[in-house]
Amino acid sequence: MKISKRLMIFYSILIVSSIGIVSYIAIYMFNEYITKAGIKEMNYNVERIKIEINNMHNRAKEYILFALNNPVIKEYFTLSESSINMYNNIKFTGKQLELKEDIDKWLLHFQTYFNIDEICLIDVTGQEHSRIILSKVESIDKLSSDEEYSSYFKQSFEINEGDVYIAYPYVSPDTNRWVFAYTSPVVLNDGSKPAFLHFEIPLEHMRNIIDVNHGRIYIVDLNGYVILDSENKVKHNNSIYIGQKPAEYFGTLATVSDSREFRELLEDTKDSVVGENVYATYHNDGELHHVVYSKLPMFDWILIYDVPHSMVIGDNINLLVMSISLAIFILTIGSIFAVYILSKSITNPIARLSEECNKLDATQLKKLDIKSNDELASITNSINNLIDKVNSIDRQKEEFSSMITHELKTPLTPIIGWSQALLNEKIMGNMNQKQIKAVNAILSNAERLRRLIGDILDAQKLDLKSMKFDYKEFNVNDMMSELYNNLLHSMKSKNITFTNNTDIQTIIKSDRNRIEQVLNNMVFNAIDFVPENGKIEMAAKDNGNDILFYVKDNGIGIPKDKQANLFKKFYQIDTSAKRKHGGSGLGLAICKGIVEGLGGKIWVESEEGKGSTFYFTIPKVRE
Amino acid sequence: MNILAIDDNKDITDMLETILSIEHNVTVVNNGKDGLRMIIEGNYDLVLLDLAMPEFTGYDVIKSLKEKGLLNKQKIALFTASSMTESEIDELQREGVKYCIRKPVDIDVLLTLVNALQPYK
């Protein structure tokens, strides 16, 4: 994998994971914070509701005491008892009627002003003396014996002047609603309590108090019946009747949740202390619910404030998640871009260096020219040092080979020169046949040495790719004819039949000397390997874009498995052949180098015992 | 034709003398210093100059002739076994050394080349 890719992946994972962790922590902390704030708000709401319920009761107490403060009421009951027929038919005296009208008016006014359901003045016998229901003066009646002996009735007389008794809610016989009833006695100057004033406030009034924005508030009695539910969802009995018991009307909290945690929580509420807020949680349908509950001072009722976690968090968390998501998105894109730039800044110089190195020409290693002042400079330096070393090695090789060839050629000069001079009658006079034979042997071996030296030099040049080609136009047929004539005398010793089957007049642009060198080499190889009276054929054919040359012999042939190695340096088929046909072992390697250098191909087709054909192609024009 | 052959190898100068003296007037010398002196003092139609000689090389001879302004007046053919680089050949040709016979040489070739360099009379 590329470095840039690795960097990208590494840093992307790093950045995305760190952003993820930070976001997780942020959301977690935010959640904690919001939850705490939510619980605080719940506590505050519970406190507020408690105060408001308390205020409601206190207001009612104040109203009733205020109503009783009217002296007309005391005056009315101070009138002689005889004046009033306490039984069945009440016969008011004129004064009493007058006062009753005053009382009715006062109480009606009072009721209207304070918006009270029912207000009623009742004497010790259970006889009503004034009754106002929903802003209307109603006819007075006597309480039923049930009511007369109810604890409420008794309690109402037991409390002192200025005190108010609040009865446990019941169904009002007049309004047929569940009500709170407040009562306080009329106390005369002699301390007697001839009557009490009573009024009712419907339970429903409390619903306004327990209204909250989030979550749900219940007021539950000690038996687990829901007296009030802010959402009014707890099922209760649809019919209301006088004397109905709470258990017969109110629903239970079991309908809210039947989870074990919730039931345990309800059990705990019973043990709580009045006025103290308790925080608890439970799970319902997998969601966390926060609960703050408190025992109310009245009737041991318990106020329960229940808010699901999602409501505590509310829209805030969605907003936060959204903004964090957006931030993550922007940061991720931004950082990946930054990483891209960064990785490019690291890998670009590497890519540039590799590009520069690829451009290097192996035959002419030039120093890299990359201007930089970072790590790239030191790599460039190292490569340049290496190039220096390679160049100096190449120089040494070239110097060595030129020195060697010079040293070899120098002694060859007089050997060849003197031998040829000896054979020249004009220069040295006549020799006998034995002498001529000896000098010929010296000369032919000296020639072989000269060829070998030439081969080594060529191989060296091909190796260093320093061979220069001289491209000129020439006629292929001319070259082949001249070559044929030059080679003809070499065939005499083995009496070889040598033919040139070239019949094209194509003019090509290539290096004639080098092509001749290749053909020469192939023909001399063939001479080495054909038997006495053998055959050698050479030809050039027009092959479209290039010329196909071949040299064919009927020599010993080359085994299939040896053919592939034939064009390698210093490769000879076997040691016995080497002895018999002493070559430099460089000839075909040089041929291959030259042919390929000129843009052609070289190959051999051969069958053991039947002969070999060496082929090569040369492009007519080198692009 | 008056030919001066300068080569530190006596076998080579002897050979050149033997071969060329059939048709030409040949003088041989075996070191560069003497060769230079003889070029300056004498009057040669052709100088065969070896390059790789101890102490005073063929290059030194060419350099000295150039300094004395004699290089353009003297026909010189290098007679060398050195494989020169393209730039060296270019350099020598620019300075007026236009001929080069490579060692080892066939005597037929040598005779042909020397005759080819003969001034028309």
Side-chain angles (χ1 to χ4, degrees):
Chain A
M1 205 188 286
K2 283 192 166 182
I3 290 177
S4 59
K5 232 179 195 178
R6 275 187 289 184
L7 278 173
M8 289 279 285
I9 290 170
F10 177 73
Y11 280 109
S12 299
I13 290 169
L14 203 68
I15 285 163
V16 170
S17 58
S18 53
I19 290 173
I21 289 166
V22 168
S23 311
Y24 177 80
I25 292 170
I27 290 172
Y28 179 79
M29 283 171 66
F30 183 81
N31 194 3
E32 288 276 290
Y33 173 78
I34 290 285
T35 307
K36 271 184 187 161
I39 293 164
K40 210 171 171 184
E41 198 190 326
M42 284 170 74
N43 268 307
Y44 167 78
N45 270 329
V46 166
E47 267 324 296
R48 177 183 62 80
I49 289 163
K50 271 155 64 180
I51 287 167
E52 282 184 26
I53 291 172
N54 206 31
N55 282 349
M56 182 187 80
H57 290 310
N58 283 341
R59 264 200 310 278
K61 282 180 184 173
E62 277 168 28
Y63 297 163
I64 203 163
L65 291 176
F66 181 74
L68 276 175
N69 238 2
N70 193 330
V72 178
I73 297 171
K74 280 190 183 173
E75 194 186 341
Y76 175 86
F77 285 105
T78 325
L79 289 176
S80 106
E81 280 178 37
S82 59
S83 309
I84 311 160
N85 182 350
M86 296 284 192
Y87 306 99
N88 300 328
N89 299 311
I90 302 170
K91 288 181 180 150
F92 295 109
T93 62
K95 179 69 177 168
Q96 273 181 319
L97 274 173
E98 207 177 295
L99 289 176
K100 181 180 155 27
E101 257 174 52
D102 278 355
I103 290 168
D104 283 346
K105 252 185 230 167
W106 164 247
L107 292 180
L108 179 67
H109 177 73
F110 179 82
Q111 195 226 25
T112 313
Y113 190 80
F114 291 109
N115 192 21
I116 293 160
D117 247 27
E118 190 209 8
I119 187 159
C120 196
L121 194 61
I122 303 166
D123 71 16
V124 286
T125 67
Q127 174 64 51
E128 296 166 339
H129 289 266
S130 179
R131 192 153 78 107
I132 288 93
I133 298 166
L134 304 172
S135 304
K136 267 173 78 186
V137 178
E138 295 283 332
S139 61
I140 49 174
D141 209 343
K142 197 169 189 298
L143 296 184
S144 66
S145 54
D146 281 359
E147 289 177 289
E148 204 175 323
Y149 295 107
S150 69
S151 70
Y152 171 58
F153 192 79
K154 281 185 212 151
Q155 289 272 347
S156 301
F157 287 104
E158 275 171 19
I159 55 169
N160 296 321
E161 188 181 15
D163 279 350
V164 177
Y165 171 65
I166 306 172
Y168 199 89
Y170 62 92
V171 178
S172 163
D174 301 309
T175 58
N176 207 37
R177 297 199 285 200
W178 281 87
V179 293
F180 287 112
Y182 300 87
T183 184
S184 190
V186 177
V187 182
L188 299 180
N189 291 337
D190 60 0
S192 62
K193 298 171 183 169
F196 63 87
L197 186 67
H198 140 101
F199 71 76
E200 294 170 355
I201 295 174
L203 210 55
E204 280 296 309
H205 277 199
M206 260 168 81
R207 191 180 299 286
N208 296 330
I209 295 170
I210 64 169
D211 188 41
V212 280
N213 290 330
H214 302 298
R216 196 167 173 186
I217 287 182
Y218 315 101
I219 291 175
V220 185
D221 72 12
L222 262 180
N223 297 317
Y225 292 103
V226 180
I227 306 295
L228 266 178
D229 166 17
S230 66
E231 288 188 6
N232 209 11
K233 276 184 189 158
V234 175
K235 278 187 185 160
H236 51 74
N237 196 341
N238 280 329
S239 63
I240 297 177
Y241 49 86
I242 296 159
Q244 196 174 24
K245 300 237 159 49
E248 290 165 346
Y249 177 74
F250 297 109
T252 67
L253 262 183
T255 58
V256 174
S257 168
D258 55 359
S259 81
R260 194 174 51 81
E261 280 182 312
F262 187 65
R263 282 202 304 276
E264 284 171 5
L265 190 146
L266 286 181
E267 282 303 310
D268 290 345
T269 60
K270 291 176 183 168
D271 301 332
S272 61
V273 179
V274 174
E276 211 169 76
N277 292 355
V278 180
Y279 168 73
T281 57
Y282 74 95
H283 287 84
N284 188 31
D285 289 340
E287 192 182 5
L288 177 71
H289 283 248
H290 300 272
V291 171
V292 172
Y293 62 84
S294 188
K295 199 175 245 181
L296 298 174
M298 203 77 75
F299 315 130
D300 280 345
W301 284 356
I302 294 146
L303 179 74
I304 300 175
Y305 188 7
D306 177 334
V307 186
H309 187 68
S310 61
M311 272 190 191
V312 171
I313 300 302
D315 294 337
N316 298 318
I317 198 81
N318 291 336
L319 201 69
L320 183 78
V321 167
M322 242 175 69
S323 45
I324 285 179
S325 305
L326 189 71
I328 287 175
F329 181 75
I330 292 168
L331 274 173
T332 308
I333 296 287
S335 9
I336 286 174
F337 183 71
V339 166
Y340 177 78
I341 300 278
L342 180 75
S343 70
K344 276 286 158 194
S345 79
I346 294 170
T347 56
N348 267 358
I350 297 173
R352 198 172 139 222
L353 190 63
S354 113
E355 192 189 329
E356 288 291 320
C357 285
N358 286 338
K359 272 197 243 161
L360 284 177
D361 180 1
T363 60
Q364 271 180 309
L365 282 177
K366 279 181 191 153
K367 287 194 182 183
L368 298 177
D369 184 23
I370 298 175
K371 284 184 179 60
S372 145
N373 45 17
D374 50 23
E375 288 84 348
L376 186 61
S378 72
I379 301 174
T380 308
N381 257 338
S382 306
I383 291 174
N384 279 340
N385 287 340
L386 194 63
I387 287 172
D388 271 350
K389 279 177 195 159
V390 169
N391 280 340
S392 105
I393 288 168
D394 276 357
R395 248 193 329 275
Q396 282 172 16
K397 267 182 169 179
E398 234 171 338
E399 279 166 12
F400 178 75
S401 84
S402 96
M403 189 267 285
I404 282 292
T405 51
H406 177 260
E407 290 305 313
L408 290 170
K409 279 174 181 176
T410 301
L412 263 184
T413 310
I415 296 172
I416 290 172
W418 281 121
S419 305
Q420 287 176 345
L422 279 169
L423 292 171
N424 191 319
E425 290 171 11
K426 274 193 248 166
I427 300 170
M428 304 289 261
N430 291 328
M431 287 191 291
N432 64 33
Q433 283 308 304
K434 276 185 183 172
Q435 286 165 331
I436 291 171
K437 197 181 172 190
V439 174
N440 262 330
I442 292 169
L443 194 57
S444 73
N445 281 290
E447 288 291 349
R448 187 179 287 269
L449 205 53
R450 174 153 75 167
R451 277 215 304 278
L452 184 62
I453 294 163
D455 280 358
I456 291 171
L457 207 60
D458 281 347
Q460 179 80 33
K461 276 182 184 164
L462 288 168
D463 212 26
L464 297 172
K465 293 193 164 56
S466 62
M467 185 173 278
K468 297 279 186 303
F469 295 105
D470 187 16
Y471 290 93
K472 274 180 190 141
E473 283 191 354
F474 63 93
N475 186 313
V476 175
N477 195 42
D478 293 351
M479 178 187 74
M480 294 301 277
S481 304
E482 278 176 39
L483 193 65
Y484 176 77
N485 292 329
N486 289 339
L487 288 167
L488 212 47
H489 75 273
S490 305
M491 306 295 167
K492 283 174 189 159
S493 57
K494 273 179 158 178
N495 195 26
I496 296 164
T497 313
F498 182 47
T499 50
N500 171 23
N501 290 337
T502 305
D503 56 359
I504 52 167
Q505 294 289 335
T506 317
I507 290 168
I508 65 167
K509 191 174 182 186
S510 194
D511 190 330
R512 178 173 166 164
N513 288 335
R514 290 298 183 184
I515 294 170
E516 282 182 13
Q517 189 183 343
V518 174
L519 286 165
N520 255 317
N521 207 303
M522 287 178 169
V523 171
F524 277 113
N525 273 342
I527 294 171
D528 278 348
F529 290 100
V530 289
E532 292 280 332
N533 306 315
K535 279 184 197 163
I536 296 175
E537 176 198 339
M538 68 169 192
K541 305 278 177 198
D542 197 319
N543 211 8
N545 285 333
D546 40 44
I547 304 290
L548 174 73
F549 296 89
Y550 67 85
V551 174
K552 187 177 179 181
D553 66 56
N554 65 343
I556 54 175
I558 303 152
K560 278 268 180 292
D561 58 321
K562 314 274 184 182
Q563 288 176 15
N565 289 325
L566 214 53
F567 297 98
K568 288 183 180 166
K569 261 187 262 176
F570 300 112
Y571 186 83
Q572 287 185 330
I573 293 164
D574 57 46
T575 45
S576 63
K578 190 178 175 181
R579 256 179 269 122
K580 209 161 144 194
H581 314 280
S584 64
L586 289 167
L588 285 173
I590 292 166
C591 289
K592 186 174 192 281
I594 290 170
V595 169
E596 286 174 357
L598 289 170
K601 279 179 192 157
I602 190 166
W603 70 98
V604 67
E605 286 172 10
S606 181
E607 205 178 320
E608 250 187 301
K610 290 196 173 173
S612 310
T613 310
F614 284 85
Y615 296 92
F616 67 97
T617 59
I618 296 292
K620 287 178 181 171
V621 178
R622 189 83 202 272
E623 297 302 330
Chain B
M1 188 157 69
N2 285 325
I3 298 173
L4 173 67
I6 308 168
D7 198 312
D8 62 310
N9 190 325
K10 200 168 179 302
D11 291 338
I12 292 175
T13 49
D14 285 353
M15 178 199 78
L16 287 173
E17 197 175 12
T18 310
I19 293 165
L20 295 173
S21 57
I22 293 172
E23 290 180 38
H24 305 282
N25 187 15
V26 182
T27 315
V28 297
V29 63
N30 291 111
N31 67 74
K33 271 231 160 72
D34 291 342
L36 177 64
R37 186 176 44 78
M38 289 168 77
I39 291 170
I40 295 165
E41 286 171 2
N43 181 18
Y44 299 100
D45 299 309
L46 177 65
V47 174
L48 292 175
L49 177 64
D50 183 24
L51 281 178
M53 289 184 288
E55 290 168 20
F56 204 78
T57 67
Y59 290 108
D60 295 330
V61 175
I62 291 165
K63 209 172 121 196
S64 303
L65 289 175
K66 193 187 167 194
E67 280 166 9
K68 293 181 162 63
L70 294 171
L71 196 56
N72 294 329
K73 293 171 187 165
Q74 180 61 60
K75 191 180 277 180
I76 294 172
L78 299 178
F79 188 53
T80 178
S82 305
S83 37
M84 287 174 288
T85 62
E86 295 287 327
S87 57
E88 282 170 334
I89 292 167
D90 282 354
E91 171 88 31
L92 287 167
Q93 284 199 337
R94 249 200 322 281
E95 287 177 4
V97 184
K98 295 211 166 59
Y99 312 101
C100 181
I101 300 165
R102 300 268 186 187
K103 288 181 191 167
V105 68
D106 293 326
I107 61 167
D108 304 348
V109 178
L110 177 68
L111 286 167
T112 313
L113 284 172
V114 167
N115 287 331
L117 292 174
Q118 196 162 352
Y120 294 105
K121 292 197 173 143

